[in-house]
Amino acid sequence: QVLEYVFDKTICFLENMPKSVRKKKGQFFTSVETATYMAEMFDLNGLPASVDILDPGCGTGILSAALIDRLQRETNIKKIFLTCYETDPDVIPVLRSNLIYIKKNASISFDFEIKKDDYILSQGDSFSGTLHAEPYPPKYDLVIANPPYLRIMRDDPAAIAMPEVVHGAPNLYFLFAAMSLFNLKKGREMVYIIPRSWTSGAYFRAFRNYFLHEGKIQQIHLFISRDKVFTEEQVLQETIIIKMKKTKTAPDNVIITSSQSNRDFNDVSVLKVPYDSVVAGEELYVFLPLSSEEVAAVNKINTFSSTFPDIGLRMKTGIVVDFRQWEYLRSEPGDHTVPLFYSQHIRNGRVGHQPSGKNCDWIVDTKPGLIQRNKSYVFCKRFTAKEERRRLQCGIYLAEDFPQYHSISTQNKINYVDSTIGEDLSKEVVYGVYALLNSTLFDTYYRVLDGSTQVNSTEINNIPVPPLCVIADIGKRLMQKRSLSTATCDELLNEVYT
């Protein structure tokens, strides 16, 4: 009854508050099914008779309601005190009404405090340990949250308050997650529903370093359909639920669960994965496999210790943003023009310069910053559709196919692998790199690493690869084959990875 009451009040609020207004605040409300599932994720063993709960960015209180409901039903806890942070004056009256209703109908002693302070700014000094910090900042037994998802500038007061976890473009959601881990008592747990984006990439390196050193992942829940997490909100961001424990001791395994949507948790898949197969490498990337085959792919590739930059290679991003450099583009070849390559020029493992369907397949060669030397590369599409079978879609570009040009150019939606030591890539290395990226093994690894539809060159450059001589040998063998298919590449890689 309590959950139904809170949910009904939430729906009324949503119906009277435009999505456009809530989006500007980073507000995306949790379904009652998701709230219930998140509450069920906590390990309630060892809790004291009096429990302190934190719900930062509380919204209408549906997560707190679900957790309190479970604590009343399944434990011998005598007293609950809930601390909520909420700054939105439109939602606070709904939140207060909901919490008063819970208090009146609770079967145990329950009380609450709604803090209207900014969750990050009010504790920034304590988190950073400045002279103005509270000597004994509050700590909590349980933290549950759906934090605001909102990009902010690096000079935003919230980002300045937590410099230890900010690198690149900050977002409120990971500042909230870091602060919540700080607010936890040692040995206690937090459950958060957050975007998946923090699990890899350079922008989140500082956050991962703090988050995964101060706490350890216990469970991660994945939604197979990314458009069905915040169904009513029409959010396409890849979202996960994570349970963290404030401890320096890693568990033997991480429980990785998955469901199709936020409406049906009755058919949940469960996989136990060794912790070192989930959190791996100097970058502390977080891998999210959904099957034993995906775990095996991660473990196979992680047996190598080198990366592309270690062996003199690097994936880079194409240099022309066509809509910004329109004045330099041409629809026909002519004097002082060179081919401009788009992702549409990658077909069946090779790169040609057939019509791409774009208005301009050529660019003038008079702007040095918009051209590159005509030498052999491996091209890779930066963007693919979520539904496509492969994330890594590559093609071999050979300079010898375009002998009349000293220079070429690449559009920004292409990545390309080049040498970093001033030497041209040999044909064998080009074919070998293609075989790696075109294999099922590497595609699986990348999908487990990154849930987005963009191929990030930084992440590719951090994937372990065989020594250069082995890559060249794979390429030599591929050159002798009649096919550049994934099946052919898989066959060659199986000889190396077994």
Side-chain angles (χ1 to χ4, degrees):
Q1 290 180 342
V2 167
L3 264 179
E4 288 178 4
Y5 178 89
V6 174
F7 181 67
D8 288 343
K9 293 295 183 181
T10 301
I11 294 300
C12 289
F13 173 78
L14 295 179
E15 290 174 347
N16 290 282
M17 186 60 60
K19 290 179 184 177
S20 58
V21 174
R22 291 186 284 106
K23 186 175 181 180
K24 289 179 181 179
K25 302 174 184 178
Q27 289 179 337
F28 302 100
F29 286 84
T30 318
S31 71
V32 66
E33 293 88 353
T34 301
T36 301
Y37 187 79
M38 290 174 67
E40 294 289 339
M41 288 174 69
F42 285 98
D43 180 358
L44 303 182
N45 292 318
L47 287 175
S50 178
V51 170
D52 291 311
I53 301 174
L54 171 66
D55 187 346
C58 195
T60 61
I62 194 164
L63 286 175
S64 294
L67 181 55
I68 292 164
D69 180 63
R70 184 188 174 202
L71 290 172
Q72 289 184 120
R73 286 185 289 105
E74 297 185 16
T75 67
N76 294 318
I77 291 169
K78 306 299 183 185
K79 183 178 181 182
I80 298 174
F81 191 88
L82 171 68
T83 300
C84 299
Y85 280 84
E86 185 53 63
T87 59
D88 184 357
D90 293 320
V91 79
I92 286 176
V94 183
L95 171 62
R96 180 177 289 109
S97 173
N98 286 341
L99 295 182
I100 290 173
Y101 183 86
I102 293 173
K103 183 175 181 177
K104 288 180 178 178
N105 290 274
S107 60
I108 59 176
S109 174
F110 169 71
D111 210 344
F112 64 90
E113 179 184 10
I114 300 175
K115 289 180 176 283
K116 299 178 184 178
D117 302 324
D118 184 288
Y119 177 58
I120 302 299
L121 298 184
S122 63
Q123 301 188 96
D125 289 330
S126 295
F127 182 86
S128 299
T130 68
L131 293 174
H132 303 290
E134 289 185 57
Y136 303 104
K139 301 292 181 180
Y140 301 88
D141 296 293
L142 303 169
V143 181
I144 191 167
N146 172 12
Y149 176 75
L150 191 66
R151 291 185 178 91
I152 57 176
M153 303 298 291
R154 289 195 66 180
D155 60 356
D156 187 280
I160 294 173
M162 300 179 69
E164 297 90 338
V165 298
V166 173
H167 177 84
N171 194 302
L172 279 180
Y173 84 77
F174 76 77
L175 298 182
F176 268 63
M179 187 66 81
S180 289
L181 187 60
F182 172 74
N183 286 147
L184 262 182
K185 294 177 182 177
K186 289 183 179 180
R188 300 304 188 202
E189 295 177 342
M190 59 182 274
V191 175
Y192 253 62
I193 182 167
I194 55 177
R196 177 178 175 170
S197 49
W198 66 275
T199 59
S200 61
Y203 283 161
F204 302 95
R205 182 187 298 124
F207 167 69
R208 287 196 303 274
N209 188 60
Y210 172 83
F211 201 55
L212 298 172
H213 278 104
E214 295 300 314
K216 295 293 179 282
I217 301 171
Q218 308 295 307
Q219 180 181 347
I220 296 177
H221 184 83
L222 296 144
F223 297 96
I224 306 301
S225 301
R226 66 173 179 165
D227 60 339
K228 294 180 181 177
V229 180
F230 295 105
T231 312
E232 293 79 8
E233 308 284 33
Q234 297 179 338
V235 175
L236 289 178
Q237 174 71 36
E238 190 107 7
T239 307
I240 62 176
I241 303 173
I242 183 169
K243 178 169 79 169
M244 292 287 291
K245 186 174 184 178
K246 191 166 186 176
T247 177
K248 298 295 180 74
T249 304
D252 293 333
N253 299 295
V254 175
I255 306 299
I256 297 183
T257 54
S258 59
S259 63
Q260 284 294 327
S261 71
N262 70 339
R263 294 300 191 196
D264 184 12
F265 290 95
N266 294 320
D267 187 19
V268 173
S269 298
V270 181
L271 184 70
K272 283 188 177 182
V273 184
Y275 192 89
D276 291 342
S277 295
V278 176
V279 180
E282 294 181 1
E283 296 290 326
L284 292 178
Y285 284 165
V286 177
F287 297 86
L288 301 177
L290 289 174
S291 67
S292 56
E293 291 79 12
E294 291 182 349
V295 175
V298 171
N299 291 339
K300 276 186 179 181
I301 289 186
N302 283 342
T303 59
F304 289 102
S305 56
S306 298
T307 61
F308 274 162
D310 294 333
I311 60 176
L313 306 176
R314 183 176 292 277
M315 180 172 278
K316 304 175 184 179
T317 300
I319 54 182
V320 173
V321 182
D322 48 2
F323 67 88
R324 292 179 183 168
Q325 278 109 25
W326 190 254
E327 60 186 295
Y328 303 107
L329 306 187
R330 300 291 182 266
S331 59
E332 299 290 340
D335 293 340
H336 296 289
T337 63
V338 299
L340 172 61
F341 290 93
Y342 292 85
S343 60
Q344 287 82 356
H345 289 116
I346 302 172
R347 297 182 185 177
N348 300 319
R350 296 300 299 266
V351 178
H353 199 245
Q354 65 280 354
S356 67
K358 301 289 185 178
N359 290 327
C360 299
D361 287 323
W362 307 86
I363 189 168
V364 299
D365 64 0
T366 54
K367 197 79 172 175
L370 299 181
I371 59 174
Q372 61 200 79
R373 195 156 66 82
N374 182 22
K375 54 182 182 176
S376 297
Y377 305 99
V378 177
F379 287 176
C380 183
K381 294 182 181 181
R382 277 187 66 204
F383 298 95
T384 54
K386 182 69 177 177
E387 298 75 21
E388 290 191 72
R389 184 177 59 85
R390 289 188 58 84
R391 186 67 62 240
L392 302 180
Q393 299 185 21
C394 306
I396 294 169
Y397 174 85
L398 297 178
E400 64 187 42
D401 292 338
F402 300 90
Q404 68 273 40
Y405 296 104
H406 180 267
S407 303
I408 63 168
S409 189
T410 47
Q411 196 251 2
N412 190 249
K413 292 182 181 178
I414 281 180
N415 289 325
Y416 62 92
V417 179
D418 191 10
S419 170
T420 61
I421 56 177
E423 299 179 2
D424 291 358
L425 298 182
S426 69
K427 207 168 181 178
E428 291 80 6
V429 168
V430 169
Y431 273 79
V433 169
Y434 169 83
L436 294 183
L437 298 181
N438 193 51
S439 68
T440 301
L441 185 62
F442 267 72
D443 189 71
T444 299
Y445 185 97
Y446 191 80
R447 283 176 177 272
V448 172
L449 170 64
D450 190 318
S452 75
T453 57
Q454 179 175 342
V455 176
N456 187 300
S457 59
T458 301
E459 291 170 3
I460 295 292
N461 288 326
N462 281 312
I463 294 179
V465 296
L468 190 62
C469 61
V470 174
I471 294 176
D473 182 59
I474 294 172
K476 186 177 180 179
R477 298 186 195 187
L478 182 59
M479 290 168 62
Q480 297 169 356
K481 302 285 186 179
R482 293 184 178 182
S483 170
L484 295 176
S485 69
T486 294
T488 302
C489 296
D490 289 346
E491 177 187 335
L492 295 174
L493 259 67
N494 284 337
E495 298 172 7
V496 175
Y497 283 88
T498 56

